[in-house]
Amino acid sequence: MTTTHTPRVFSGMQPTGNLTLGNYLGALVNFVALQERDEFADRLYCVVDLHAITVFQEPAELSRATREVAAAYIAAGLDPERSIIFNQSRVTAHAELGWIFTCVARMGWLNRMTQFKEKAGKNKENASVGLFSYPTLMAADILAYRATHVPVGEDQKQHLELTRDIAAKFNNDFSVPDFFPLPEPLIQPETARIMSLRNGENKMSKSDPSDASRINMTDSADLIAQKIRKAKTDPEPLPSEVDGLSGRAEAMNLVGIYAALSGQSKADVLAEYGGQGFGAFKPALADLTVAKIAPIGEEMRRLLEDEGAIDAILADGAERAATLARPVMREVYDTLGLTGGGSA
Ligand code: TYM
């Protein structure tokens, strides 16, 4: 995309339940890698607590989980100096622009969102209005900073497309071409969809009722090893070539996790383990996962002992984020003719 906008990264994670290996490999690893890329002027990594309340959250648990996601960001390698780490509710621009975008987005667009259908399930009439309009708030998160690049897993791709549609409609409706950039998703194909350990057809998810389906970032070394030992597989040995993984969803997923955690390609992993059964591969995967994930969990626990320090990081991040959003919001209010509007 050619754009006149300053290259800027924005992404977020919901503070609901435990972060999983899917969140880590699908998004967080990429957040950290982007810190090393000088072409981006800013990197904002948000804990999206306003998104979390689209379904009921116990208030004390929401605060705890918000700090926990911040701790995960830092424990995984985000540096609060080089990245802006904050929680969404501290910066009012998100809610303000979110409302404006609910007036830009069309019902038909939101009706097509597969995540709403999955999350609302059969009980659509009883879902919150916020759950339905959720992607408009996500567009606001990104566009309040005119962010141009958004590292996410595959499941957020449709929401990013909607963000682009909202940006384009706003630019067009108010005759302000290029007011908002059309942000690009940054999706790592190898880790875009980490699957459940119990069923290779389902995404690994913190909302899966079975805890055995996922590795949580705070699982102990023993629990990680146990979940990998019990992961669903098939009876065949591993193939020597990547093609041989097709139609074997569980084998594909475990080899993909090994490849991602070891920084190798699947072909490299199969060059080593092809021809061997899961009896040999699973212990190696368990050791690798424990070596990579358990120290992050330990560091999270250590960081969480000092809530004041985490809150200070979130407050500082929010201040820096608000400084970036303020001039954008000023222009948004002016563009809409909302005279003197906004808190900025
Ligand atoms: P959330 O909190 O569900 O997930 C956070 C990130 O983790 C990725 N992810 C996965 N990637 C690969 N395999 C998996 N099994 C897996 N599970 C989760 C998600 O794709 C995501 O990148 N709506 C977003 C949060 C959000 C946001 C934003 C993201 C709000 N505003 C603005 C980017 C920009 C969400 O619910 O992510």
Side-chain angles (χ1 to χ4, degrees), residues 176-198:
V176 281
D178 217 26
F179 185 97
F180 285 122
L182 306 188
E184 296 275 357
L186 296 176
I187 298 177
Q188 295 295 106
E190 294 289 336
T191 50
R193 234 174 121 71
I194 302 295
M195 308 310 278
S196 155
L197 300 178
R198 306 301 306 160

Side-chain angles (χ1 to χ4, degrees), residues 86 242-243:
F86 69 109
V242 178
D243 282 353

Side-chain angles (χ1 to χ4, degrees), residues 10-14 20 22-23 26-27 48 51 115 119 134 138 141-142 150-156 159-160 191-195 203-206:
F10 183 97
S11 198
M13 287 195 185
Q14 291 200 60
T20 71
N23 297 126
V48 293
H51 276 98
Q115 198 151 344
K119 289 201 174 169
Y134 178 111
M138 185 161 156
D141 299 339
I142 299 164
V150 185
V152 281
E154 175 77 29
D155 61 353
Q156 298 302 314
H159 291 162
L160 256 293
T191 50
R193 234 174 121 71
I194 302 295
M195 308 310 278
K203 190 182 73 169
M204 183 181 285
S205 162
K206 47 191 159 192

Side-chain angles (χ1 to χ4, degrees), residues 108-118 132 135 158-159 161-162:
W109 301 356
L110 288 164
N111 269 328
R112 285 196 287 276
M113 295 295 114
T114 53
Q115 198 151 344
F116 174 75
K117 289 178 198 155
E118 278 164 29
F132 181 70
Q158 196 185 34
H159 291 162
E161 282 158 13
L162 187 92

